[in-house]
Amino acid sequence: GECRVHPGNLRGTHNVQLRAQAMCVKLLTSYMTVSEIKLTLQGSSLTETGSAVSSGFSPDPFSFIHIHLYQQCDALLLMGGVGVEHCSRPLYRKSDSHVWMGKTPLPESFAHGRQLTASCWRERFTAFRSGVKTSAETLQCINGEWINSLKKKELDGFACESCVTVAGSGFQKFRKRKEQELYYFNKLAFQVYSELGSVSETSNILPKYCLTTPNRRRTHLANRFNLENKEACPEIMSMEVVGSADPEDRLMRVLSQDNTTGDCMQVGKESNFPFLFRYPCDQDKSSQLVNPLALPSLIWSMHQQFERSAQHVHLAYSSFCGAHGALSSLAFQQIFAGESRRRISRKVSECHFAPVIRFGTFVETGIIYDKTSGDWPNWNTLLADNPVLCPPGEALTGFKLESGSNKYMFECSRIGGLGIQYEYFSAQVEVTKFDHVRNNWLGAVRMLKVDCGENALLSGFHFEFSEGGRWARSKYTCSKAGGAPVVMEPSTTIESRFHSAEGIFCPKFRDMTTGRYRYENTAASGETLTFQEDGRWCIGNSCSKKIGGENPIGAILEQFEVANVTDFDGEFEAKGVPDMSAGSGGLAAQLKLLKPPKRPAQPPKPKLQDFKAEQPKYSEECLDYEDLWKKVIETTKGEDDEPVTEEAKLEPDEGTVDEELVDYHPCAVAASAGGVFGKIAGQSGKLAPENMLYSDWNDCMQGDINRDLYVAHWDFAGALHGIFTDLVEKIAGMVCSLPPDLEIAPLGAGIQVQPGKHCDKFSMLATFLGEFPYDFMEAANSYAVENEGFMACNPFQVGFSRIFCDIHCVRDAVIRGDRTIIRNLEKATKISNDNMKKMVEWSTEANRVETEYLDKKIDHSLKVTTLHLQTILAHVEPKEQLLSVASSTEAMLQEMQGLAEAASFGPRKRLAGSALNRFLDSAQLLESTGNLTNKAQRAGEFQAQVVSLYQSLQSSGDGVSKAEVVAKQVAREVEKLQHDLHKQQQVLGVYRHQSHKAKEDAKSWKSSEAAVTLDHLWWKIRNKLDQHLDEAEEEVARYRVTFKHLKEYEGCKTGLKDLFGSYAKSMKRMRKNHHKLHSLWRETSNLIGELASVIQDGDLFGKFVADEGCGSTLAMQTLKQAAVAFQGMSLLVHRFEVAGMKKPDTSTLKMAAQVVKDSYAKALDSCASHSAAKMNATSLRH
């Protein structure tokens, strides 16, 4: 309404200061807001006011039946929604759970005198009557109208003022997406544990295995999470939604005893098994962004790894798994041949982790074998006629040969979460002969092994054989391990992550100073949200910017954000897939189950800042030129390329206004320069103005000119006066010269009178008397001119000071202009950056929203297309159906190679690996036998599996480009090559050490005439081997340089040209060495043969034994010399293997070794104690 202010009853003239404070109140006058106001019917007479029914009672939300199931379902939705079909609201309570408040509709009409009590929804609003807080308003029916307690109609003067939510930073981000539940979900503490069920045989073992946090240490294994058997599990982590993660992924912060930590859960590997570790939080690490529903598989993997160290027993003819294990593989060589790990190098049976619910009992198989006898009559028929198979839901936990009865027995136990069974076949092995002889059946049994892999358990096997084809194999059944039941239970809120001021703030009273309501926390903490006179909203010392506003909704404080109180009605999508099987209804019904995604609203465009250039301001003394520098007129071209004339006023800098200048300032000097404009110069005779302008400077110069002219006039008059005086003098002289001299001498002596001289004297006196007035006037006038010249302004002083002041102003204008340009550039850059940041954030958010929608749209379209294809395939001929399946799956199979590569480097590669394993384990085999209908049916099942695999790989590879895949593949291959190169260098080091050792030993060998040729050949072989060793080391060094260039190329420190050059040199060296390797092998092989011939033909061992006896030093030395030569040849064999070349012919070496061996043995035959010395010949076998 209109606000008026008057000073009251004041008479006369008064100085009155008036302050107007306007308050605008929205009054609800002619309608009722049902969502905010509660109406209660009161008494029936005017005097009967009655009392309002209490509305403060709130039923306990935990009184709903099965409330924990609803909470768990909601928690799964907040974790991503995978595996959830639908979460409903709690519906049922027990009748005695709370005081029931009946609700009845209001009557259509009210009798005179009836009353209604109107109150606000106390959880969201506060009632005010005429700006004063109240609990309710009473309405009374009087003469057909509702009159309130203010004697006004209806609810005039009564209002429900909204409460506000105060939360920490980041709340608005979730609220805009209608996901404010996640803000509080991020602050929940979780317990994580697996439930392995109750085992009767191990009833003293508790079923809970809690995930516990490790103590922080520096080693990798010390940071590993553990599974501990406890009654009560600790609160171990929180699940936080972060901006860099996928919608389903969470950053899982590890909680300490005070629920605070800077560490997070990170997925890593130990012994090729995925494990959970504790490391400092880094939300940019993909290994720390974990899907909550991936935790069961990770804990399953941890159980498997821990179970590997359990007490599983694998002995000859028996295998037993521990308390939490079942057989995943069965080795026939161990069970039926009795060859355990200690006797052979092949692996034996294996047990994997399994949640055993109930152990079974050992049952006879019908297979009989007497292990004391090597023969096994009818072994093939016994195995084939007695298949071993566990019932569904069970797996083998033991297999043994009973010693007393010689019968094989097996144990099947109930396993929790065991999946569907699949049949497989082992490798088909060759059988020498189907009879009882051990040597005939042992080879086949050794090669037979039934293995279900990492994530499956063995549920049975059936031996098969063919006597005609002489082969044997085993068909076996594997049951998928479903994993241990894992519970992720939110227990309590993490109080340290909440500020005490967070909560619901409701209006308390109106502050008459500011005209705004003061809000108070409804919790016991009692913080207030107030409006400051400078336009800020504050909670304690935490304030917003100066935003003003009628209420604080939308205000961003330093630590808090203020928003409306709203329902937690976020729509979290359940990711469970509807049943698409044939029995789930027709196409229309199935399509109806697939709800298309709704296009989300785009985020509002940000308000961008405008830039207006700041004009330069100048020193005030430089603008003090009357109107000369008050404005600038410019003509420029406008947007339409037409001339535009603009007039701009020049403004002084505020810091220079009224500033007193120092006395040496050029403009201060110019301002002080002055004087008078003299009257002799024909001017006004007044003082010159301060800070003389250019016109004054010109007048000053003109005054000097006029005075000079005035003096010139006087000089001219004086010259004329001198000429006239000279003329008069000349004339007087002539006149005075005319009278003659007179002598007066009456007595003879007298005087002489000279009238001419007297005339001259009188003439000079007359001239002086005539010149005196003029000379006096001339002297007085000269003084007046000089005096006026002294008092007048000096044009040189004024001119120079003005010039220097102008120079100062030019310099000042340049400096100030430059600084203004810099400020404008900085301001323009800042505004541009801020606008760009806002646009990038808006564009990113808009793209994210649109991309998520398109992703859901593509998934929906793919599901719809699959349904249509399945319907079409059900109505086409089998042959056409097969062709359609082949054409539709071909493109997907080709594309899946790239998707698999991308997924292997993506943040969700574990999911991709699981999808590939599921496909390989469950894919339908398309056999050539059978009719077309059966083939078409199996092809359709195969296509559905391909589509499922395609979708899994596509979703798992998000965010990884082809370039990143190639880069990571290259990095992986380079790392592998560097590892191989390191091994090669180690091997070369061993051979180098051996060469040095052999040379050192050779220096101590005795010399003899018979061994001269042998020594010559040995050193020749040794030198050739050392030469090749040098070349091999040089080749390895070349490779290291190439890998170094490749590493620098990846870091953009080396160009492609240098990389290719280094690679070409390495390849050239490799080809050259390979060519030399063949030649060296032939040469050294021939030398080895020649060395053996020298030993045999010269009977060196016989001569040495004859000379020195059986313990001949020369014989032992020669034998060692030959052995070193043969060992050196292994270097060349190794180089052939490393180069990937065909293994060289070693027949010459074998023959030479045999020759040396026989020659040495022959020499020892003549000795009585040769048996001990003969053992040294075995060194040649290696």
Side-chain angles (χ1 to χ4, degrees):
E2 181 179 0
C3 297
R4 297 179 180 273
V5 180
H6 60 87
N9 297 324
L10 298 176
R11 295 182 180 180
T13 303
H14 299 273
N15 293 325
V16 180
Q17 293 184 352
L18 300 179
R19 180 178 180 181
Q21 184 69 47
M23 295 191 299
C24 300
V25 181
K26 181 180 179 181
L27 301 178
L28 306 176
T29 55
S30 60
Y31 59 91
M32 298 180 183
T33 307
V34 179
S35 62
E36 301 177 4
I37 298 178
K38 175 183 176 183
L39 299 179
T40 305
L41 186 62
Q42 297 296 326
S44 58
S45 66
L46 288 173
T47 59
E48 188 177 277
T49 59
S51 60
V53 178
S54 173
S55 60
F57 176 76
S58 178
D60 183 7
F62 296 99
S63 62
F64 281 99
I65 299 176
H66 305 307
I67 185 64
H68 65 287
L69 296 179
Y70 295 101
Q71 291 173 333
Q72 291 176 18
C73 190
D74 288 340
L76 287 176
L77 282 182
L78 293 173
M79 291 181 198
V82 178
V84 180
E85 295 288 344
H86 175 68
C87 290
S88 63
R89 292 183 177 274
L91 297 177
Y92 301 102
R93 277 194 177 110
K94 291 183 179 180
S95 59
D96 58 350
S97 62
H98 63 284
V99 178
W100 294 88
M101 298 174 58
K103 294 182 180 180
T104 57
L106 293 173
E108 295 182 0
S109 61
F110 294 84
H112 175 76
R114 296 299 300 270
Q115 290 184 343
L116 285 176
T117 298
S119 60
C120 299
W121 183 7
R122 295 183 182 179
E123 294 180 1
R124 302 282 181 89
F125 301 90
T126 301
F128 283 87
R129 183 193 297 123
S130 294
V132 180
K133 184 178 178 181
T134 184
S135 59
E137 176 63 284
T138 301
L139 301 176
Q140 193 164 23
C141 181
I142 300 177
N143 295 329
E145 291 184 344
W146 289 107
I147 305 299
N148 59 29
S149 59
L150 299 175
K151 307 304 180 185
K152 298 181 179 180
K153 292 183 178 180
E154 298 181 356
L155 294 177
D156 188 5
F158 180 80
C160 294
E161 294 295 335
S162 174
C163 301
V164 296
T165 298
V166 174
S169 299
F171 178 76
Q172 290 282 26
K173 177 183 67 176
F174 291 106
R175 183 178 171 275
K176 288 178 181 178
R177 295 160 53 179
K178 293 186 177 180
E179 295 177 347
Q180 56 265 42
E181 293 90 338
L182 293 178
Y183 172 80
Y184 298 99
F185 186 79
N186 286 350
K187 296 172 171 47
L188 289 178
F190 279 79
Q191 299 173 344
V192 181
Y193 56 90
S194 62
E195 294 179 331
L196 300 184
S198 58
V199 183
S200 58
E201 287 81 353
T202 57
S203 57
N204 60 328
I205 299 178
L206 296 172
K208 278 187 178 181
Y209 280 80
C210 304
L211 186 67
T212 57
T213 177
N215 295 324
R216 285 301 309 275
R217 299 192 183 113
R218 294 185 178 181
T219 61
H220 178 68
L221 293 180
N223 284 345
R224 186 183 67 182
F225 279 82
N226 300 314
L227 291 172
E228 297 183 15
N229 193 210
K230 292 185 175 183
E231 292 186 12
C233 295
E235 297 169 342
I236 190 172
M237 67 180 185
S238 64
M239 301 183 186
E240 294 186 12
V241 179
V242 294
S244 59
D246 291 337
E248 296 84 5
D249 293 342
R250 300 289 189 272
L251 184 69
M252 299 188 176
R253 291 191 181 273
V254 181
L255 302 180
S256 57
Q257 292 182 354
D258 57 353
N259 286 340
T260 59
T261 183
D263 293 342
C264 286
M265 188 179 292
Q266 179 172 316
V267 179
K269 278 194 174 183
E270 180 184 333
S271 302
N272 291 327
F273 273 79
F275 244 87
L276 293 174
F277 297 91
R278 172 180 180 171
Y279 284 103
C281 294
D282 184 358
Q283 66 183 37
D284 293 329
K285 275 189 176 180
S286 59
S287 56
Q288 289 192 7
L289 301 177
V290 184
N291 190 322
L293 297 182
L295 283 180
S297 62
L298 290 169
I299 292 179
W300 170 264
S301 174
M302 294 172 65
H303 272 300
Q304 285 183 311
Q305 181 69 359
F306 292 147
E307 193 65 21
R308 288 178 180 270
S309 60
Q311 298 299 319
H312 304 312
V313 180
H314 301 288
L315 303 174
Y317 306 106
S318 63
S319 283
F320 304 94
C321 297
H324 297 297
L327 286 167
S328 65
S329 67
L330 194 71
F332 280 37
Q333 59 177 352
Q334 172 212 344
I335 299 298
F336 298 114
E339 295 180 339
S340 62
R341 186 188 299 269
R342 291 187 296 272
R343 294 181 55 190
I344 58 174
S345 60
R346 295 177 60 84
K347 290 184 177 180
V348 296
S349 304
E350 292 183 356
C351 293
H352 280 184
F353 168 75
V356 181
I357 297 177
R358 183 183 66 251
F359 282 117
T361 57
F362 278 93
V363 180
E364 294 182 356
T365 63
I367 304 173
I368 301 174
Y369 175 60
D370 184 4
K371 64 181 179 181
T372 60
S373 172
D375 297 336
W376 192 2
N378 303 321
W379 65 275
N380 51 330
T381 56
L382 284 173
L383 291 174
D385 294 342
N386 295 283
V388 176
L389 185 63
C390 294
E394 297 186 2
L396 287 171
T397 53
F399 203 96
K400 67 178 181 177
L401 175 62
E402 192 70 30
S403 300
S405 62
N406 291 332
K407 292 182 179 180
Y408 279 97
M409 307 183 72
F410 69 96
E411 179 190 50
C412 292
S413 301
R414 175 72 63 179
I415 307 298
L418 204 59
I420 193 171
Q421 293 183 345
Y422 295 91
E423 290 186 348
Y424 300 93
F425 289 91
S426 68
Q428 190 168 291
V429 300
E430 182 181 359
V431 182
T432 306
K433 188 176 181 180
F434 287 96
D435 61 7
H436 64 282
V437 180
R438 181 179 178 86
N439 289 337
N440 291 334
W441 58 265
L442 181 58
V445 170
R446 278 179 174 174
M447 291 186 288
L448 282 176
K449 184 177 182 180
V450 292
D451 190 351
C452 292
E454 292 292 339
N455 294 313
L457 302 176
L458 183 63
S459 293
F461 64 90
H462 186 188
F463 181 80
E464 298 177 349
F465 68 93
S466 172
E467 292 185 351
R470 292 197 304 174
W471 58 261
R473 68 180 182 184
S474 180
K475 181 172 69 174
Y476 59 99
T477 304
C478 297
S479 298
K480 288 298 177 183
V486 175
V487 178
M488 294 173 287
E489 182 179 3
S491 52
T492 60
T493 57
I494 305 172
E495 297 297 334
S496 60
R497 298 190 184 178
F498 286 96
H499 195 282
S500 61
E502 292 189 54
I504 305 297
F505 282 65
C506 291
K508 186 71 174 177
F509 59 88
R510 186 186 293 276
D511 188 340
M512 301 307 297
T513 304
T514 63
R516 272 79 169 181
Y517 285 102
R518 180 177 295 239
Y519 295 79
E520 187 176 82
N521 197 334
T522 56
S525 57
E527 289 87 354
T528 58
L529 173 61
T530 59
F531 183 79
Q532 307 298 319
E533 292 188 11
D534 59 359
R536 298 178 300 155
W537 289 93
C538 296
I539 299 177
N541 295 327
S542 179
C543 297
S544 68
K545 294 181 180 179
K546 299 178 181 180
I547 59 174
E550 181 183 354
N551 56 62
I553 294 175
I556 306 296
L557 281 65
E558 294 174 358
Q559 300 178 7
F560 307 103
E561 295 179 359
V562 185
N564 277 321
V565 181
T566 57
D567 294 331
F568 281 8
D569 55 356
E571 296 183 4
F572 295 91
E573 181 182 0
K575 303 295 179 62
V577 181
D579 185 12
M580 297 298 175
S581 61
S584 62
L587 177 62
Q590 295 180 24
L591 291 176
K592 188 175 181 180
L593 292 175
L594 293 176
K595 296 181 179 180
K598 296 180 180 179
R599 180 181 288 277
Q602 288 288 339
K605 290 185 179 180
K607 185 178 180 181
L608 304 181
Q609 301 180 57
D610 293 329
F611 170 69
K612 186 176 181 181
E614 173 191 354
Q615 297 299 325
K617 294 182 179 181
Y618 306 96
S619 298
E620 184 187 31
E621 65 270 13
C622 295
L623 301 180
D624 191 11
Y625 279 83
E626 297 294 339
D627 293 332
L628 183 60
W629 293 114
K630 295 294 184 184
K631 59 185 178 181
V632 173
I633 299 176
E634 296 177 298
T635 301
T636 58
K637 289 187 177 181
E639 296 180 356
D640 54 357
D641 205 24
E642 293 293 330
V644 177
T645 301
E646 295 180 345
E647 183 179 295
K649 184 180 179 182
L650 299 182
E651 298 289 342
D653 188 279
E654 289 82 359
T656 63
V657 175
D658 298 330
E659 182 186 12
E660 185 177 354
L661 302 178
V662 295
D663 54 0
Y664 54 82
H665 193 285
C667 292
V669 175
S672 62
V676 297
F677 296 115
K679 293 184 178 181
I680 296 174
Q683 295 174 328
S684 63
K686 297 180 180 179
L687 286 173
E690 187 179 356
N691 196 23
M692 297 171 62
L693 301 180
Y694 295 108
S695 59
D696 299 324
W697 179 23
N698 186 64
D699 291 342
C700 184
M701 181 70 74
Q702 189 62 44
D704 267 8
I705 294 172
N706 291 344
R707 276 188 294 275
D708 289 341
L709 181 61
Y710 179 79
V711 171
H713 287 165
W714 271 96
D715 290 342
F716 179 72
L720 291 178
H721 179 266
I723 293 171
F724 178 75
T725 303
D726 290 343
L727 179 61
V728 172
E729 287 180 355
K730 295 294 183 182
I731 295 172
M734 292 177 62
V735 172
C736 290
S737 62
L738 292 177
D741 295 335
L742 296 179
E743 292 183 357
I744 301 176
L747 297 179
I751 59 174
Q752 186 181 5
V753 179
Q754 296 177 344
K757 291 184 177 180
H758 292 290
C759 182
D760 288 337
K761 297 293 184 180
F762 281 109
S763 174
M764 290 175 61
L765 178 61
T767 301
F768 172 75
L769 293 175
E771 288 181 352
F772 175 77
Y774 176 82
D775 290 341
F776 180 81
M777 290 178 60
E778 183 181 19
N781 191 59
S782 295
Y783 173 78
V785 170
E786 293 297 332
N787 184 58
E788 183 175 298
F790 175 77
M791 298 297 294
C793 58
N794 188 337
F796 296 101
Q797 180 189 8
V798 173
F800 277 113
S801 60
R802 175 52 57 193
I803 289 173
F804 284 117
C805 179
D806 291 344
I807 293 174
H808 159 76
C809 290
V810 170
R811 178 177 177 271
D812 179 80
V814 171
I815 293 175
R816 292 180 181 274
D818 289 345
R819 294 181 62 83
T820 303
I821 292 173
I822 294 172
R823 284 196 300 272
N824 283 332
L825 288 175
E826 290 178 347
K827 184 178 179 182
T829 303
K830 183 179 183 303
I831 292 177
S832 299
N833 291 339
D834 291 343
N835 289 342
M836 188 176 296
K837 181 180 179 182
K838 291 179 181 179
M839 289 301 297
V840 168
E841 291 176 350
W842 173 80
S843 177
T844 302
E845 180 66 16
N847 288 336
R848 183 194 66 79
V849 172
E850 189 67 16
T851 303
E852 288 181 359
Y853 168 72
L854 291 177
D855 183 48
K856 295 177 182 178
K857 189 75 173 177
I858 291 172
D859 290 342
H860 176 264
S861 300
L862 184 58
K863 293 176 183 178
V864 171
T865 304
T866 303
L867 282 178
H868 282 287
L869 287 175
Q870 290 176 350
T871 304
I872 293 172
L873 290 175
H875 294 85
V876 298
E877 294 297 326
K879 184 176 181 180
E880 285 76 6
Q881 182 178 352
L882 288 172
L883 294 175
S884 175
V885 169
S887 61
S888 60
T889 56
E890 182 179 3
M892 281 190 291
L893 290 173
Q894 291 177 352
E895 188 178 352
M896 276 193 288
Q897 181 180 1
L899 293 176
E901 292 176 353
S904 66
F905 296 102
R908 292 181 280 183
K909 58 184 178 182
R910 298 186 302 276
L911 300 179
S914 301
L916 285 170
N917 289 331
R918 287 196 303 270
F919 178 78
L920 294 175
D921 293 338
S922 61
Q924 291 289 342
L925 298 177
L926 304 180
E927 300 176 352
S928 58
T929 59
N931 55 38
L932 283 176
T933 303
N934 291 334
K935 288 181 180 179
Q937 182 178 358
R938 296 178 72 87
E941 295 173 356
F942 176 75
Q943 184 195 27
Q945 292 168 337
V946 171
V947 170
S948 177
L949 176 62
Y950 178 84
Q951 293 174 341
S952 299
L953 293 180
Q954 188 180 38
S955 62
S956 300
D958 288 347
V960 182
S961 65
K962 188 68 175 177
E964 291 174 328
V965 172
V966 173
K968 292 185 178 181
Q969 286 177 335
V970 170
R972 180 184 294 175
E973 292 298 327
V974 169
E975 184 179 0
K976 182 177 180 298
L977 289 173
Q978 287 179 329
H979 180 69
D980 294 342
L981 196 64
H982 181 67
K983 285 187 175 180
Q984 290 187 38
Q985 199 166 19
Q986 287 180 331
V987 172
L988 293 177
V990 172
Y991 283 115
R992 176 67 73 183
H993 177 72
Q994 181 185 5
S995 173
H996 290 321
K997 185 68 169 59
K999 290 179 180 179
E1000 291 295 328
D1001 293 343
K1003 293 178 182 179
S1004 63
W1005 290 344
K1006 296 180 180 181
S1007 61
S1008 65
E1009 295 179 1
V1012 171
T1013 305
L1014 179 67
D1015 291 344
H1016 176 73
L1017 291 174
W1018 187 87
W1019 279 106
K1020 194 173 183 179
I1021 294 171
R1022 186 72 263 165
N1023 289 335
K1024 288 185 177 294
L1025 291 176
D1026 288 346
Q1027 183 180 357
H1028 179 73
L1029 189 61
D1030 293 338
E1031 293 173 350
E1033 288 178 343
E1034 185 179 354
E1035 180 182 347
V1036 171
R1038 285 285 185 185
Y1039 279 126
R1040 283 200 172 276
V1041 172
T1042 301
F1043 288 142
K1044 178 183 177 183
H1045 286 169
L1046 181 58
K1047 189 71 175 177
E1048 291 176 349
Y1049 177 74
E1050 291 178 355
C1052 299
K1053 297 180 180 178
T1054 298
L1056 189 61
K1057 182 179 179 181
D1058 294 336
L1059 176 61
F1060 281 165
S1062 177
Y1063 173 75
K1065 291 179 181 179
S1066 299
M1067 291 297 101
K1068 183 178 179 180
R1069 171 61 63 179
M1070 181 191 71
R1071 288 191 292 268
K1072 185 178 180 180
N1073 287 350
H1074 289 179
H1075 179 71
K1076 287 183 177 181
L1077 188 58
H1078 286 286
S1079 301
L1080 181 62
W1081 177 261
R1082 288 192 298 271
E1083 293 175 5
T1084 51
S1085 296
N1086 293 335
L1087 290 173
I1088 288 289
E1090 188 176 350
L1091 184 144
S1093 299
V1094 169
I1095 293 175
Q1096 184 183 36
D1097 296 344
D1099 192 17
L1100 296 184
F1101 290 123
K1103 291 180 180 180
F1104 295 150
V1105 170
D1107 294 340
E1108 299 180 354
C1110 291
S1112 172
T1113 304
L1114 288 174
M1116 290 298 297
Q1117 173 183 303
T1118 303
L1119 180 63
K1120 185 175 181 181
Q1121 194 173 5
V1124 169
F1126 280 104
Q1127 291 172 0
M1129 293 299 291
S1130 61
L1131 166 64
L1132 302 184
V1133 177
H1134 169 73
R1135 296 302 298 167
F1136 274 98
E1137 293 177 354
V1138 169
M1141 301 165 63
K1142 183 180 179 181
K1143 189 175 182 180
D1145 183 12
T1146 58
S1147 58
T1148 302
L1149 292 179
K1150 292 179 180 178
M1151 290 177 61
Q1154 190 64 38
V1155 166
V1156 175
K1157 175 185 175 184
D1158 294 343
S1159 179
Y1160 183 71
K1162 182 180 177 181
L1164 295 180
D1165 285 341
S1166 59
C1167 298
S1169 59
H1170 72 281
S1171 57
K1174 194 174 182 180
M1175 294 178 61
N1176 295 318
T1178 57
S1179 61
L1180 291 174
R1181 298 176 185 174
H1182 304 291

